[in-house]
Amino acid sequence: MPFDKTVVVPLDPDATFDLVTRPDRLRRWQTVAARVDLQAGGEYRWTVVPGHSAAGTFREVVPGQRVVFGWGWEGDDELPPGASTVTVTLTPTAGGTEVRLVHDGLNAEQATRHAEGWNHYLDRLVVAAQTSDAGPDDWAAAPDPLDELSSAEATLAVVQRVLRGVTAEDMSRQTPCTEFTVAQLADHLVGSITALGGAAGATFDDDPGKPVEARIADLAQPALEAWRNRGLDGTVTLGTNNAPATVAAGILSIEFLIHAWDFAAATDRDVAVSEPLAEYVLALAHKIISPEGRKAVGFDDPVPVEHTSDAVTRLIAYTGRHPVPAA
């Protein structure tokens, strides 16, 4: 039972093709993270919302015209990766490009669920084509259930949104971390991602010359994919120490969300984060950031705030930052 829908976007076919295939474009409307080998026989993996990753193989790629790929979900026995087929056809039309998406190989129940998802994301595709970015995705804001890995994926989406607007001129700005400019904090976050992702078996190819959002996103994707493959059982090696896997994975959420706030404060931007997600990361911080380890990771003593403050404010204060930066 196929899903079949057409929308019109105000871009030419080549720009539209980029929007539906390139990881940096997909992050603007459909995915938290994306790995793409855009050729016939090449594989892809898209974390659409935290805890839910679609995967498959490209079957046909005609730039600017058509892309066909197998579709299914990791961990879904009824619709595993590649079990169905998505065909996206691009046709020039007055005012832009007609995008027709057909999803074949679904039973009635799957078609109903995927229709809801495709309608949601095709609407966001149109907005992204109109404004360059569809904005925060409500579906990715508060994963259910929340665990260390879905939280890491959700907080990655938060920091990526902040970094997407950071310019080359912003890189020399001072952050609330007195020892770091924006550029230096980005390097610090790169180090955290590669150390924590490496503990789960990820390998990396860092390019410091990339725009900062792309650099962080392109390192975080293999780190989180490695953690999904490994799982949260047992212990991992961090430096010269062994740590519970849940602790190592939990640090990712703390790093992503706290530094999202740091980047936003330094560049006069906002942090869009749901209260349930912020509460979860705050609980992780209380569990992971020990008094003796606080100085070792660069956190000052907690700053007092009202207990009725929102969770992000309490998290930032717990790490020794003043929740409202000085003007």
Side-chain angles (χ1 to χ4, degrees), residues 2-195:
F3 169 84
D4 188 336
K5 181 167 180 170
T6 298
V7 297
V8 175
V9 302
L11 298 172
D12 64 47
D14 289 336
T16 303
F17 188 81
D18 286 346
L19 199 54
V20 300
T21 58
R22 282 178 45 177
D24 62 320
R25 301 294 194 269
L26 287 163
R27 293 193 297 270
R28 299 181 185 186
W29 64 278
Q30 187 178 18
T31 72
V32 173
R35 169 170 57 80
V36 172
D37 180 11
L38 191 59
Q39 60 180 327
E43 296 181 349
Y44 77 92
R45 181 184 187 269
W46 298 346
T47 300
V48 180
V49 295
H52 298 278
S53 293
T57 300
F58 291 103
R59 300 172 183 171
E60 182 181 351
V61 177
V62 184
Q65 299 180 39
R66 177 180 170 91
V67 60
V68 183
F69 48 95
W71 176 278
W73 298 95
E74 289 184 350
D76 186 337
D77 293 336
E78 295 184 2
L79 194 70
S84 60
T85 303
V86 175
T87 302
V88 181
T89 304
L90 309 179
T91 305
T93 190
T97 300
E98 183 181 271
V99 180
R100 182 185 180 194
L101 186 145
V102 179
H103 193 163
D104 284 306
L106 304 172
N107 62 33
E109 180 182 353
Q110 292 165 347
T112 298
R113 293 200 310 267
H114 282 77
E116 182 182 7
W118 285 124
N119 283 321
H120 174 76
Y121 285 107
L122 288 172
D123 287 347
R124 286 177 56 81
L125 170 64
V126 174
V127 174
Q130 293 169 337
T131 65
S132 173
D133 193 316
D137 182 4
D138 291 342
W139 286 17
D144 183 19
L146 264 168
D147 63 13
E148 288 84 356
L149 298 185
S150 63
S151 173
E153 291 163 348
T155 51
L156 172 62
V158 174
V159 72
Q160 286 175 165
R161 279 206 50 76
V162 173
L163 291 175
R164 199 164 297 147
V166 171
T167 66
E169 291 73 24
D170 289 329
M171 299 301 285
S172 61
R173 289 197 185 195
Q174 179 63 51
T175 72
C177 305
T178 55
E179 68 272 33
F180 290 145
T181 63
V182 170
Q184 291 166 335
L185 184 59
D187 288 339
H188 164 81
L189 185 54
V190 164
S192 297
I193 293 169
T194 54

